[in-house]
DNA sequence: TGGTACAGGCCAT
DNA sequence: ATGGCCTGTACCA
């Protein structure tokens, strides 16, 4: 399941990217000690360029071709997520009401998100706290979520 | 099919 | 601050 096409640098971690054809289909957070790719093809270079722009300016819209794969419900949730502007947050409960479903179902769909950052699942928090990230409720993933929120907050 | 596990929420102590 | 029951989806037997 792992085996990424390229590993890129990020300020708080490394990112493993997988492509299918010309489209990005998967993005994973990896530990800081993961060796970074030295050779980048055109699509990887484009992705790296867009991400760099985002690290510089959280308001920068990431312009890359990506194709998320999931159930119809998940795609519906993810599509809704992408309407949340950078620097803003929503809760699972609010989204659930909006979609006519349950908060827990929204959380599960967020966890299944194969393209974090591009699909801003980190902008969804629990009604009473931070909530989880990448299918977990503690540990490194939560640090990443916190980092991303802090990064986007700097844009005010 | 039924049974369980979730990135939550809410109302009762 | 804690524990219970609710919710909709996904995944596995």
């Amino acid at each position: 399941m792992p085996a990424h096409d390229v590993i890129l640098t990020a300020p708080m971690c490394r990112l493993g990217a997988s492509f299918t054809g010309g489209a990005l289909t998967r993005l994973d957070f990896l530990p800081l000690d993961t060796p970074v790719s030295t050779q980048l093809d055109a699509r990887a270079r484009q992705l790296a360029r867009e991400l760099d722009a985002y690290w510089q300016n959280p308001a920068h819209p990431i312009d890359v071709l990506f194709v998320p794969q999931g159930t119809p419900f998940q795609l519906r949730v993810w599509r809704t997520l992408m309407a949340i502007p950078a620097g803003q947050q929503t809760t699972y409960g609010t989204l659930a009401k909006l979609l006519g479903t349950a908060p827990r179902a929204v959380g599960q769909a967020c966890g299944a998100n194969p393209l974090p950052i591009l699909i801003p699942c980190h902008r969804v928090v629990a009604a009473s706290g931070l909530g989880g990230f990448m299918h977990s409720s503690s540990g490194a993933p939560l640090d990443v979520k916190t980092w991303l929120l802090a990064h986007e907050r700097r844009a005010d």
Side-chain angles (χ1 to χ4, degrees):
Chain A
M1 182 101 51
H4 302 101
D5 293 310
V6 295
I7 311 294
L8 302 175
T9 356
M12 72 311 203
C13 63
R14 299 283 109 94
L15 291 171
S18 303
F19 295 89
T20 303
L24 180 68
T25 47
R26 171 141 217 114
L27 202 56
D28 295 290
F29 297 106
L30 304 174
L32 272 169
D33 56 22
T34 309
V36 177
S37 303
T38 49
Q39 305 288 348
L40 304 187
D41 62 19
R43 3 168 246 194
R45 205 161 24 229
Q46 158 83 353
L47 174 62
R49 188 159 53 83
E50 289 299 314
L51 285 174
D52 280 343
Y54 170 75
W55 303 137
Q56 297 303 314
N57 167 24
H60 175 85
I62 298 176
D63 179 28
V64 297
L65 178 61
F66 66 97
V67 179
Q69 304 189 33
T71 67
F73 174 78
Q74 289 166 344
L75 293 172
R76 197 161 133 251
V77 173
W78 300 339
R79 190 155 185 76
T80 308
L81 289 190
M82 288 190 273
I84 308 172
Q88 232 179 299
Q89 302 178 198
T90 333
T91 62
Y92 300 97
T94 303
L95 280 179
K97 209 163 288 180
L98 198 64
L99 294 166
T101 184
R104 222 161 168 172
V106 173
Q108 196 173 250
C110 289
N113 172 21
L115 294 164
I117 302 177
L118 269 69
I119 298 173
C121 47
H122 57 277
R123 295 179 195 149
V124 188
V125 298
S128 47
L130 181 62
F133 201 56
M134 301 281 92
H135 275 177
S136 69
S137 355
S138 62
L142 269 295
D143 293 339
V144 174
K145 181 172 183 175
T146 303
W147 191 96
L148 288 171
L149 287 173
H151 176 58
E152 298 189 349
R153 195 154 42 228
R154 290 191 280 143
D156 304 351

